[in-house]
Structure formats: structure tokens, C-alpha cells
Amino acid sequence: MAESEAEVPKAKPRPIVRLGIFLISHSCLFSVICCTAGVLTLLLLPVLAKNTYISENALMPGSANPMFSSQEVSEANRLVKSLTSLDSKPVGSGIESQRLIAEYMSDLGAEISYHKFYPRSNQFHPLHFFSYPDSGSTRENVSCISHGLNTVGIIRAPRGDGKEAIVLVTPYNSLKVGPGEALSLGIAYSVFSLLTQVTWLAKDIIWLVADSRYGEYAAVNAWLRDYHMPVFSGLSALKAEICPVSNVHNELKENSVTERKINDGFRRAGTMATALVIKVTDGSEHFEDSLSIYAEASNGQMPNLDLINIVNYLAVHRQGLRVKVEKMRSLINCKWLKILGEILQSLGHVAKSLNPQWKFGIPAKDYVEGAATLASSLYYQALGVPTGPHGAFRDYEIDAITMEISSRVALNNKARKNDFLLRGGRLIEGVIRTVNNLLEKFHQSFFLYLLTSPSKFVSVGVYMIAFALLVASLPVVAASLYADAHKVDPSFGIDKSTPQASATDELSITPRSCKWLNAAKKVFLVHLWGAVVSFLPYFICQIPSCTPTTSFVVWVLLSSFSLPILSLILGSSFSYGRPSQPQKRDWTLLKSVTISAAFIGLCLMSVINFATAEIGALLMVPMCLMAQPLKLDIRSRKLRKFLRVACNLALGFLGFPPAGFFVLKGAFEGFGGITVGDFWSWLESIWSWSSATYLYIAGWFERTRS
Amino acid sequence: MEPKEQSKEKKEKLWFWNWVIASVIFRLVLIYFPKNLNLASRPEVSTPLTSLRRLAEGYWLKQLSMSPYAGSMYHGSPLLLSLLGPLTVKRIEGQPDHLLCSLVFVIADIVNAMLIRATGQNLQMEYTRSLKLLDHVKLSEKPGKIIPSGDIAALVYLWNPFTIVACVGLSTSPIENLAIILSLYGACKRQAPLAAFGWVIATHLSLYPAILIIPMILLLGYGTDTPPRKLFLQRRNVEVGDNPPNDRCCEREEVVHRSEVPHVFSWRPVIHFFCWTSLWSVYVLVLCGISVKQYGGLWELFKRTYGFMLTVQDLSPNIGVLWYFFAEVFDFFRNFFLIVFHGNILFMMLPLAIRLKHRPCFLAFVYIAISSMLKSYPSVGDSALYLGLLGLFVNELADMQFSFFLFCGYVGVSLLSPVMHNLWIWRGTGNANFYFATAMAYACLQIILVVESVSAMLNHDRKLRKPLTELQDGKN
């Protein structure tokens, strides 16, 4: 939009065109104002945050009295006790504990099935950008020796038609069941047992006991993949060929006499409306029992805000739990943030004294907390790595969160423990009952938002303003540079018509308005180089037996070699021995093209992953605007120019280390075999990083050239 | 001097062929990753009309001796079905599926590029000749000034990402483009049978090229693109103005000269063209009639192909704007808007034909661009065609405005559109409006491109006239 405005300098002077011309002629001032406004708006976001509200009327949270009673608590205690007693026994408890849980489930009359999965190593493949998350599943390399075993129990809803389901997930390590994990299993079991008796259930309930031996995420992801992609006989035969089916099922069946309903096949229960991941930690809290909500899925996706609202509402107003979301601890004690908060507070007071209707001031403490939460929200979204097993659900368009309930003291006291179980169970029952009311799926509330506290959020319409202000200067500056290059041009054209200049100047052959093609070629080359550099890790991964350090060195070497090779292939030379006038014009065009490329990239990124784009814009925009060729500046020795050079170098230095850091991290994660969790998120995050990286490179290159 | 120039020319030729071979290799490499690229299922690439998967389905139905049009899967021509159909079922062990079809498309692309190149050379010859006729010493003198537009256009066509994507993504648009380009080439070379064949096949395959009949007639009647005829007359006037100022004499002289002007409408090739057109169309109709005889005859064929195109029955998303519009519009307005949208293309034909009648090739480009913007199931293959043809006029359009803006816009939209599609379909955080927004932006870009290129072309004509009027003024 801004670009189209800015690019119309020569047409008839309509008001909008005149505005465009005005903006272009004052592009320097405009860009400075825009950038500052963008940063200021970003800092103001905690003030602009709105209170959350439950948008979907059908949900009606907390309208019914909880049915969860002490009877269910005793059930939970029973399971916890038998689990802990099992844990004290020697080896082989992996299958034992699974069987125990399955037994308990079948006693409740639920359908039970085991799901065997093989943990797969996350492989980065450059060509998978173009395919959908599921399509890469056919040619995985599975290691047959190790496998995990999920236990799945399904309650069929008395009022449902088996087309919709709600999922409860309790990740636990089957080799060593910790006290927290046992408690989370206990809570889930008690809720499950309650739900077998209720009459109001309209959606089936799936309880997934995820085997987190190979990571919580991997287990949930494997189950989801098999749930959504039915394996037909031909394929399963293929799989059997790869890995000889161990007789786990038979083993389990033989051993347990009581099991009546264990199915060999994979059980399904229709589309999932919601998934809740339940975890329990104990003893870490100082004040009261609290509930932490983790919501960030892969690549900065968030579940629908209504889900968080329900959980928050029920936890705070019904169960009296303290709800927390992730914060950046380091920011809370930050001095300048406190000062800023106080300034804003006093500003709010002034505004309130002027007009009592204006209520935008918030207390300084709230501001600092909000800013810290916002920062962590931005950080986790930008990183693109899910913060828990709920991330796997978002890839299948299922809203999911992780609820981590933690108690104030260690749960040794029995009465205390019962109370804790009661509150946790009631909370989960309430959430399930609310979601049970849902028609179809969550759609009413926001998907794109940032949290500043559990009950406050910044919606997409607000935070986009900050980004738009930050980025708006790019097209204007690009247009003004482009216009500048053409203003220089007529004099050049006159030169050309004189016989001496028109001799064999290669450039004069290209027509006037297509001069930018040359610059575009250069920018394209640099971006191509960036792409090659970011794809290289994949090929380096293939080299067997490589320590992270050596592969990193190989990577750096290869990437630095690839630029001259590319330039050789595409036949563009970088050293033009030209007089300064055309060089300057060339350079202006080059900068203009670079800035437009950066603009397009940032806008794309903001659609894909806002947080990455915002952080990228904060780094890139000043860099793009300040960039100047070093040589020209050094030649003219003035203080002002010198300052500019210093500024540029500092910005370049600032801009480069993050890229290096990110890339280094990416490299180590890739090579060291430490799986980030989600293949897709990893890929996407690498993608986002690399896009930022090669834009950096473009900026970097542009400055250092000539 | 001469051998040096020759070697330079040779080098340039070599350079051209290098790039052509590189583009072929690039395509072949991409063909080997069909699963990973997954281009064949992109809505931008394969529309209901051009998707090869649908064609394979149609062929399958035909093998089962059912109507290929049963079940609203296939909507293309029966000739294409019998031509490409056998290739879709043939598999080679260890090779990607549809390898043979992909190879056919690659060959079609190469032939397209060669035809564009030949057309460009033809156009360029005419261009320099007319410049000489107009005594534009400045322009025609410098050898480096005129860019080999044919080579440029061919390379633009071959290396355009849209073309590559359409070729690798298993859509039949390279074949449709081949028919269109063939007809243009035939008309430029004034070979009425070839032009008629191309036009009939293009119309048969995708209907919209039917409007190209006007540029065809102009091309065959007047010859290829030249500056306006008025200029030649003016030029003559200037020359004649040196003679004694006898008005009547002058007039007579002009009449004499006019007969010498090469740009008189000649009816013979046009009549030839019409004869051949009727012959070819009867031939095609007979072939079609034979192949669909047992499935409801020709009427069923027309209803399932042209009817499907004109009534916009399939509202699955594509890069055009019609699907969204007809998904939203009330049913009782539907017919009205169908007429409006298709009438839009027809309304623009006549004024453009009058204004640009001296440049029939450019007129054809404008028509193709407009129809690819307003057609019911547009794909990137159509854009690839008109962007390739745009390269033919690189000399004339050198001073086009907003070229950089257009370039950025095309890059931005073509990247944004898959992202929006992903947000809508796979992530569920966006909705149809997101995707439609990019389609609208794309349509706007195309409009700007057409408007700017036409105005640049007219400006170019004005610039050619300028020295002439100056000369005349000086005389007066």
C-alpha cells in the first residue's frame, strides 16, 4: 500500500500522489519518525493490552457445579499408590506400568489400545519446504531397536456420535515414574473415571498416556501422525518388513487375564476439538498453588484465545489457583523498564486528571510484568520451537495447551495432597465440560495474539501497528532512492549523447528505466548465496562421523567459497572500475533494490511468524536505512561522514552476531543430533533464521562492497 | 572490424544457446523431485482445466468405456486426452510418475521459446526497416542500441519462474501456449495455414484465444508491427513539401506514394486464413465428433468444456478473482455477472484494436494479458505466456514506467500467495479473504502492467513522430 503510494511521483498531481511526493522528498525525516514511532509503539503494547473475554457464547464456563468429589480423589490415590509401588520393583517396569494403567482403564469400561512408535531423528531436508507436514512420513529412517509404547483409552460419549473428541495427554516416563508424573496420571485417571459415569458427555474422551522415554513431543507427535494418516495393509506390510513386529501386544495380552477390551488396531474417535496436556510439579511455589499455561506451538502458532480464557477463568474464579504464563525474569529487574513504567504511570495520571474518561494508565509494576511476559511471548514465538507436547497438535489444527499444576509444598501431607488432587481434578473437569459445549471447533476468538498476562492480550490489529510503522519507512526510502537515481540520470543521458561518452559504455545500451535490472541481479545473487549457505548444513549433515566443530568449520569454508563460484557462474563481476558518478548512481539503485527486497521479505515473514518479523525488523530496518558504501565515505573526510561510518560499522557488528549466534545454534542442533522437537518447526525456524540471515548478508555485503 | 563483429555475434549466439540448455537441465532436475515439490497440487499451477491429474482421470474413465466427462473431473479437449492420455499411464521403473508427460511439456516449452525467438527476429527486422524508412538516423544507426528482442523474449520465457513452475507442475498450459504462439508465429510469417491451424487449436483447447482473431487478421493484412501509418504519410509529405506548392499536384503525388506504401490491407492472405480456418475447424470437429460419439456427441462436449469455462462451475480457489466473486454472489444474479465478466473482455477488444491496429503483435499481447486476467480459471502458465511476449517489445517499451514497482509486486505476490494459502488451508489461522487479497493484488498488478505497457507503446510512437514534426515545422 505504502509502496504504491510512494511509487507514483510522476503522474497527475492528485492529493494522494502529492502526499506520496511529499513523503518521498522528506524520506529521511519520515523514516526517522516512523522508526521511532514503531519502537515506541512496541514499548507501549503492554499498556494497550486488553482484558480477555470469552468470545464463544456456547462455552458457558463454570455454569455447572463440579461433580468431581472425594470419591474420585481416592481413585486417584489408588492409582498413584500402585504406580509408586510398581516403581520400587526391579527392571521391566516399562511394560508393567503400561499394563497397570491399561488395567485401570479397562476396569472403567473404556476401549483401550496400545500404540507402538519408533522415535525418528529429525532430518532437515531442503526440499520439504514445499511439501505439507505429513507428506515426508513415508521414507523415515526408523531405528528398530528402540520403540515407545503409548496407551490410549477412549470413552464413548453417551450423547455423541463418535465424530468429535477431547484429548487428555499425560506424558510420563515409563522407565522411571516420578512423583509428579504419578500425580498427573492420578488426576487424569480420576477425571477419566468420573467421565465414564456422567450423562452430559457429547464428545468422546481420549486419554493418551504418552511414553516420554524419547521426549514428550516425539511420543505425542507419533500418535497424532498415526491418528491422522491411516496406514493401509500394503504399507503396514512394508513397515513390518523394516522392523519385525515384536510381540508386545501378545505379551501384554497373555500376561493380563483381566483385559477384555484391548484392541490390536488403532482406535480413533473423530476430529479432536481440544487437547489438554496435564503435568504436575510440586514443591517449587512460595505462595499458593499455581497453574502455568504453555501455549506456543511450532513456528509461533498459538491456540485459540478462548481456550486459554476458559482455563484462566476456571482456575482463577472457581479453583482459586494462581495462573502464570512464561516471563522473562531478567527483564523484571530491569531499571530502564521500571523508569519507563513510572513515566507511563504518571502520564496516565495526568491524562486521568485532564479527562476522567481516559483510562490508559497502568501501574508501573504491572507494566514491567506485562513487558516481561510480552518479551517472552515474542521470544518463544520467534524461536518457533514449541514449548511442550501441545505443539504437535497445532500442526493438525487442533487447539492445545499444556497445564502445569504446581503445589505450594511438597505433597507429603495426605490431606494436602487430597485437596490438591481435588482442585486439579475439578479444574480439568470444568474445562472438559466447557469444551464439551462447543459446537464444531474454536473459531470465534483470536488466533494471532500476544499475551501480556494470563488475562490480558494484544491482538493482531494492535501489534501490527508497531510493525507497520517500523517497516513503513522502507518502501518510502526505496522509492526516494529510486527517484534520486533517475534524477541523476538526465545529466548522464546528456553526457551519453556527446560523442566521447557514448563510445563503448556497456551500460548505456540498457535502456534508462531498466537500469535497476543490474542492481536486481546483484541482489538476487546475494540472496541466492544466502539460500545456498542456509541449505549447506543439510549436505554437511550427510557426512558421517563429524563433530560439530569440524562440520561448522566446513560449513564456513564452503559458504565463503560458494559466493565467488556463484558469481562466476552467473557472470556478474563485482569490481567495476568506474568513475564516481555512475558508481554513486549504481549504488543508490542497489540500495533501493536491497531495501525493497528486505521490505518484501519482512512483510512475508510477518504473515508467517509475526514475532520473527518484528525482531528481524528491529535489527534490519536501521541497518538498511543507514547503509552507505564505505569507500565513498572514507574518501571524503568530514566528521559527519566519519560518524556515519562509525555508526554503520557498529550496526553491522550488532546485526551480525545475532545471525551468527542463531546460525551457530541451528548448526549445533542439527549436527549434534539434539532434536529440537518438531521437525517442521525446526525447519521453519531455520527457514526464518535463514531468511533473516541472508537479508543480513545482503545488507552486510552492500556496505562492505565498493 | 567485420570479423571481430562476427565473432562477437557468434559469442552472443553461443551465450543464448548456453542459457537455453541450462534451462532445460534445470527443468529436468526439478522433474526428478515431484513428490518434494508437490507443485502439481498447487492451485496456482493446476486449474480444473489444466491439471494433468484430471486428464489422467478422464483417460481412465475412457479406458473403462465411460464418458471422460463423467463426474465433472475432466474438462479439456478429447484430442488432448487421446494425445497425452496414453503417456499418463505409462510408467518407467525407478523413474518418477508422469515422466513422459513432463518431457512433452519440456519440449513444448523449448518449441515455444524457439517460436518466440523467430517471431522476435521477424519483428525486429521490420522495426529496423521501418526506422530506416522514417530516416531515424539516430535510432537505426547505432548497432548496439537495438537489443535482440527475440533472444531476450525467448530467455525471459524460458527462465520465468512461472513458466518453469507450470512446466514442472504437470499442467497442460505449455501445450495451450504452444498453440497460441504457433498461430502468432504463422501470422507473422504470413503463412495462413499455420496461423489458422494454431488459432483453431488454441481456441479448441482453451476458448479464450478466440479473440486473437483480430490481431491475426491485422497481422495477415498489414504485416507485422510498424510505427503508425500516418507517420509514413507525414514523412512523404515532408519530402513532397520540397516540391513546388501546388496542392493538387501534391495530393496526386500522395496518392501515388500511398500505393507504394507497403502497409495496405491485403485481402488475399486474410481470405486464405479464413478458408484454412474453416477447413481446420471442420477437421477438428470431425475428430472430436468421432472420439465422443458414444458419449453424448458434440453437444455434450461443448457443454462439458466451453460451458464449464463460461459458467464458472468450479469455485475452487485459484489466482483469479472469479471464484470468490461467484461464491459470494446471489444465485439469481449469477447469469448477469457471468455476462458482465465475459463481456468485459469483449468490450475492450474493439477500442484497443482501433488504437493499436498498426501493432498487431502488441495487440495480441494485450489481448492475452487481459484474457488471462479475466478468464475463469487462470493459472501462472497464462502469465508466463504474456510475460514472455512482453520481452518481444523490449526496445519499444524501454521507457516503461513503474517497471521496478511491477517487478517487486510480481515477486511479492507470487511469494505471498502460497503463504496465504497455507495459512488458510493448513494452519487454519487465516481464511479465504487472505488468499483472495493476494489474488486481487495480482489482478491489480496485471492491470497496471497492461495500462503502462500500452501507454509506453503510444509514447514510443509519439517519440517517433517528434523529429518528423520538427522537420515539418522547420520546413514551414
Side-chain angles (χ1 to χ4, degrees), chain A residues 3-4 7-10 125 127-128 130-132 134-135 139 299 301 394-395 397 447-448 482 496 506 508-509 511-514 516 520 569-570 592-593 596 600 603-604 607-608 684, chain B residues 8 19 33 35-38 41-43 142 144-145 147 394 397-405 407-409 411-412 415-417 419-429 434:
Chain A
E3 179 142 352
S4 65
E7 282 270 355
V8 210
K10 281 171 203 160
H125 197 282
L127 285 169
H128 282 185
F130 305 102
S131 49
Y132 306 117
D134 349 351
S135 65
R139 78 185 92 73
N299 202 19
Q301 301 180 77
R394 188 59 235 174
D395 290 341
E397 289 188 41
F447 281 104
L448 307 170
Y482 188 72
K496 196 170 62 182
E506 277 272 316
S508 71
I509 290 170
R512 197 160 59 92
S513 69
C514 293
W516 56 267
I569 291 170
L570 291 179
S592 145
V593 174
S596 353
I600 293 174
C603 285
L604 270 180
V607 177
I608 298 170
E684 288 272 52
Chain B
K8 199 182 167 191
W19 278 107
F33 297 107
K35 283 259 169 56
N36 290 323
L37 290 170
N38 220 346
S41 57
R42 302 289 323 166
K142 266 190 267 167
K145 180 70 187 165
I147 304 167
V394 70
L397 298 180
D399 290 329
M400 200 166 101
Q401 274 187 329
F402 304 143
S403 53
F404 180 51
F405 169 66
F407 177 76
C408 286
V411 170
L415 291 177
L416 202 60
S417 154
V419 167
M420 289 301 193
H421 191 258
N422 181 274
L423 278 193
W424 173 27
I425 301 292
W426 296 107
R427 283 207 199 172
T429 48
F434 282 46

Side-chain angles (χ1 to χ4, degrees), chain A residues 507-566:
Chain A
L507 210 86
S508 71
I509 290 170
T510 46
R512 197 160 59 92
S513 69
C514 293
K515 287 264 167 53
W516 56 267
L517 272 177
N518 220 346
K521 201 167 92 181
K522 233 173 278 177
V523 172
F524 173 71
L525 184 74
V526 171
H527 280 227
L528 196 67
W529 179 49
V532 167
V533 166
S534 54
F535 282 157
L536 273 177
Y538 167 66
F539 298 106
I540 298 173
C541 275
Q542 309 286 341
I543 306 168
S545 68
C546 221
T547 63
T549 342
T550 51
S551 53
F552 185 69
V553 170
V554 167
W555 185 36
V556 170
L557 282 178
L558 273 180
S559 42
S560 50
F561 274 126
S562 57
L563 180 62
I565 293 168
L566 267 178

Side-chain angles (χ1 to χ4, degrees), chain A residues 628-661:
Chain A
Q628 288 282 338
L630 285 176
K631 222 194 220 165
L632 284 182
D633 273 4
I634 290 171
R635 227 181 271 155
S636 54
R637 307 170 179 199
K638 282 179 198 158
L639 185 65
R640 203 167 63 86
K641 296 249 169 165
F642 183 73
L643 266 179
R644 197 161 67 180
V645 170
C647 246
N648 274 329
L649 284 179
L651 269 175
F653 186 70
L654 267 181
F656 212 62
F661 168 67

